[in-house]
Amino acid sequence: MAIAGFLIEIFAATMLLLFAVRLVRTGIERRFGALFQSLLTRHSNTFVAGGAGMVLATILQSSAAVTVLLTGFAAAGMVSFGLALAGVLGADLGAALVIQVLSYDLGWLQPVLLALGGWLYLKSDRANVRLIGRIVLGIAFILVSLQFLRDAVDPIRESAFLPAIAGYLESDYFSAFIVGAVLAFVMHSSVATILMCVTLVQIGAIPFAAGLSLVLGANLGSAFIPIWLTRDLTVSARRIPLANLLLRGSAALVMLIVVNVTGTHQTLMVAGAGQSLILAHIGFNLAVFVLATGFVNWMERPMALLLPEPEVKAHAMDHFSDALSPLNDPSVSGANVAMSSVRHELLQMVTQVERMFRPVLDIYEQDDSDAISALWQQDERVNAQLTEIRRFVARLPRQNMNKAQIKAARGLVEYAIRLEAAGDVVSNRMTRTAQIKHTERTDFSAQGWKELKDLHAAVLASFSLARHVLLVDDMDCARRLVLDKAEVKRLSRNSRKAHLKRLERGQTESFASSDLHLETLRAMRDLHGHIAAIAYPILYQSGQVLETRLVMEMDNETVED
């Protein structure tokens, strides 16, 4: 019974730790997603990109999350192979630094974080404040889970069970390496796995040598996580996590063999056992980052040979019509395959509109006719995509489709129409507003420009959510997308009120740019409405939203009045 109780307590502490890490990661992704995308995609130097990846992994407490983000950006053509791989290597180092912070005894901070996080999450109606409360609660739960882990292990340290396992792992370092790799992959978190190992070493439950083998194995296992999570992306994107696995996994295996064959464990004991294990983990990832980052661009060609692009998909991204050509006649491929093809092309439309919208505020700052012409060309591509989708769906064999499939196909065409309208908002309304601004030599006020940039970032954050909802019909993400729509409306409304107050104060810049400011607010709000439209069919189907907010049944006397 003692063993069963011990295993249940360990399992409970581990599940709480995993939940807490995920709570922090998802909260930060949702709150600061657009900022992350900007940090990860605007650099051209590999070491700078690696530094950005390190910072983001430190914030997200997950190198796998940053790897998946970068792989997605690479799939959308926003970042090159070399920069993405450098960011991934930096993320591995950032996740190692997180372990150092979380390993400190912060028990005194638990009640403070629980109280603050709970108050922010439960007492605020603002989505951003609730997300910050979610993050604070997640950090508090991490500290609580680590305390649970210590308390669960402490009673059996002197028993024969734990020393036997610890002795076996110390004597068979390769088995310990495999156990660490499996734990990291199954838990889907290297941070949680290594924190658990550090905690066990700190309290003396397992020796330092066994802990080191476990941690090195966790480095290998965590490199498998993004490979699994990105298995459905394009071949070119999947080369990035595979390259990281080869670099990180081979380095971990080499260090495992060198340390255990030469018996140099004691030389790594520069402090206490737990702290030395953390420093060894940080040093390992720092060495991989420094040695490999300068050569990441050279790995693109070998990875292309190792994971070649299938011939049938060689031009799928460049020639939209190929994917919806007569060779892929929907009457031959079947309704389900045809619907998947439409979703794939809609993903490309979402990405295309995002590429148009991302630099639009730069056109407001600089009078760049070439940039505007590029946006017009991109909008023509979006229009062509809509035309092809309409033609493709029109050829669907409706006699072989049920009502749900026909309704879904109609909904996808309607979303394609909304995406085309979103492209028009950027290429027509916003570029025209920017041209008027330059023609009239008008400038926004400093506060007004900041409000527009904040709204732009909020809209950008919804593109990745829209892609996810389009792929998997995720109910939670659909709800989040609609909540973001309310947040965008709030930001727009607050900016409009602040702008009117500046007019009341007689601020010259606000008078000159009033029409431009208000038109830009309306344009970004309308664009976000088009992007978020993908969420409504899912929410309607599950009864999460109503067709109208009007009161349909009223008292007869009230109507007569």
Side-chain angles (χ1 to χ4, degrees):
M1 291 298 294
I3 297 299
F6 165 74
L7 293 176
I8 291 174
E9 290 179 1
I10 288 292
F11 182 76
T14 303
M15 289 301 102
L16 180 59
L17 180 59
L18 289 174
F19 172 74
V21 170
R22 181 177 180 181
L23 200 66
V24 175
R25 184 176 70 247
T26 54
I28 293 175
E29 285 176 346
R30 293 174 182 177
R31 178 64 182 87
F32 304 104
L35 176 61
F36 293 171
Q37 189 163 340
S38 175
L39 287 174
L40 290 170
T41 59
R42 69 185 182 188
H43 304 293
S44 57
N45 182 280
T46 54
F47 281 96
V48 175
M54 179 184 68
V55 171
L56 296 185
T58 304
I59 297 171
L60 285 175
Q61 302 183 13
S62 172
S63 60
V66 177
T67 304
V68 172
L69 283 173
L70 281 167
T71 304
F73 296 157
M78 299 176 185
V79 63
S80 67
F81 172 90
L83 292 177
L85 182 54
V88 170
L89 295 174
D92 294 333
L93 177 58
L97 295 175
V98 169
I99 296 168
Q100 175 66 77
V101 176
L102 295 178
S103 65
Y104 294 125
D105 185 7
L106 300 175
W108 60 272
L109 197 56
Q110 293 176 17
V112 177
L113 294 178
L114 287 170
L116 177 61
W119 183 75
L120 291 174
Y121 186 80
L122 297 174
K123 297 300 182 180
S124 178
D125 294 329
R126 296 179 57 179
N128 288 339
V129 175
R130 286 171 60 86
L131 284 175
I132 292 174
R134 177 191 181 100
I135 295 166
V136 174
L137 280 175
I139 296 173
F141 289 153
I142 289 175
L143 300 178
V144 172
S145 65
L146 292 176
Q147 184 61 50
F148 282 174
L149 188 63
R150 295 187 187 99
D151 294 343
V153 174
D154 190 65
I156 66 166
R157 278 190 297 172
E158 304 302 327
S159 67
F161 171 70
L162 193 59
I165 294 179
Y168 172 74
L169 293 177
E170 184 179 21
S171 61
D172 190 348
Y173 60 86
F174 191 74
S175 293
F177 182 77
I178 297 300
V179 168
V182 171
L183 280 175
F185 182 77
V186 171
M187 294 172 69
H188 265 43
S189 173
S190 62
V191 171
T193 304
I194 297 173
L195 275 173
M196 186 170 65
C197 294
V198 169
T199 301
L200 294 174
V201 169
Q202 281 178 334
I203 64 177
I206 59 175
F208 175 77
L212 182 60
S213 299
L214 287 169
V215 166
L216 289 173
N219 277 276
L220 172 65
S222 64
F224 275 103
I225 298 172
I227 289 180
W228 173 257
L229 295 176
T230 60
R231 63 191 183 279
D232 294 327
L233 294 182
T234 61
V235 172
S236 59
R238 286 189 280 125
R239 292 170 187 156
I240 296 164
L242 180 59
N244 178 57
L245 172 66
L246 294 177
L247 287 172
R248 197 176 181 192
S250 59
L253 187 59
V254 168
M255 184 172 178
L256 174 79
I257 295 172
V258 169
V259 169
N260 285 278
V261 170
T262 59
T264 55
H265 297 102
Q266 295 302 320
T267 60
L268 298 176
M269 288 281 288
V270 295
Q275 182 60 40
S276 297
L277 188 61
I278 296 171
L279 293 177
H281 176 56
I282 294 174
F284 168 76
N285 283 280
L286 178 61
V288 173
F289 173 73
V290 172
L291 294 175
T293 300
F295 305 97
V296 288
N297 290 319
W298 295 1
M299 290 194 64
E300 184 171 10
R301 184 176 178 84
M303 294 308 302
L305 296 174
L306 184 61
L307 200 62
E309 191 83 32
E311 292 183 7
V312 294
K313 297 182 180 179
H315 302 289
M317 294 290 290
D318 298 326
H319 302 288
F320 174 83
S321 59
D322 289 351
L324 301 178
S325 67
L327 294 176
N328 293 327
D329 192 333
S331 62
V332 176
S333 58
N336 290 331
V337 175
M339 296 284 283
S340 297
S341 297
V342 176
R343 287 180 180 271
H344 171 76
E345 300 308 331
L346 281 172
L347 285 173
Q348 304 309 315
M349 287 187 74
V350 173
T351 301
Q352 186 69 26
V353 174
E354 182 181 12
R355 289 175 181 171
M356 294 172 62
F357 180 66
R358 180 174 296 279
V360 73
L361 289 188
D362 296 336
I363 298 175
Y364 276 68
E365 290 188 297
Q366 298 178 356
D367 189 4
D368 190 343
S369 58
D370 291 337
I372 293 176
S373 297
L375 285 180
W376 289 342
Q377 292 174 2
Q378 289 174 316
D379 186 51
E380 290 177 0
R381 178 183 173 88
V382 173
N383 296 341
Q385 288 175 318
L386 171 61
T387 301
E388 292 297 334
I389 286 177
R390 280 172 166 165
R391 292 174 178 170
F392 184 78
V393 173
R395 299 199 306 269
L396 286 174
R398 282 170 170 72
Q399 66 276 12
N400 299 328
M401 299 171 62
N402 55 41
K403 290 183 179 180
Q405 290 174 325
I406 294 174
K407 185 176 181 180
R410 188 183 304 119
L412 293 178
V413 173
E414 289 175 355
Y415 189 54
I417 295 171
R418 298 295 294 265
L419 291 176
E420 191 272 340
D424 289 342
V425 170
V426 179
S427 64
N428 295 334
R429 292 171 58 182
M430 298 191 75
T431 56
R432 184 174 65 250
T433 303
Q435 288 175 322
I436 294 173
K437 175 180 180 294
H438 295 304
T439 301
E440 297 180 352
R441 300 182 182 278
T442 303
D443 289 322
F444 295 111
S445 65
Q447 184 60 34
W449 182 242
K450 181 181 181 302
E451 291 163 4
L452 292 178
K453 291 178 69 175
D454 290 343
L455 185 59
H456 181 265
V459 175
L460 268 181
S462 294
F463 279 93
S464 58
L465 273 178
R467 277 192 291 265
H468 184 71
V469 172
L470 186 59
L471 273 175
V472 297
D473 289 345
D474 189 306
M475 181 73 68
D476 291 336
C477 286
R479 287 180 58 85
R480 178 63 194 166
L481 199 53
V482 174
L483 290 174
D484 283 352
K485 184 177 179 180
E487 179 69 10
V488 166
K489 288 182 178 179
R490 186 190 66 80
L491 289 174
S492 176
R493 183 172 58 251
N494 290 347
S495 179
R496 187 172 63 252
K497 290 180 179 179
H499 176 74
L500 294 177
K501 288 181 180 179
R502 289 192 292 270
L503 293 180
E504 292 173 0
R505 293 194 300 267
Q507 193 165 334
T508 305
E509 289 178 331
S510 295
F511 270 108
S513 63
S514 181
D515 291 341
L516 303 178
H517 184 94
L518 295 175
E519 173 56 28
T520 303
L521 289 178
R522 285 192 293 268
M524 286 198 279
R525 178 173 169 175
D526 290 347
L527 183 142
H528 187 272
H530 293 313
I531 299 302
I534 188 62
Y536 284 96
I538 302 170
L539 298 178
Y540 281 139
Q541 188 176 6
S542 61
Q544 298 277 334
V545 293
L546 302 176
E547 291 287 346
T548 176
R549 288 180 292 180
L550 292 174
V551 177
M552 302 305 296
E553 297 182 4
M554 300 179 65
D555 189 357
N556 291 333
E557 295 181 1
T558 304
V559 175
E560 291 175 359
D561 292 341

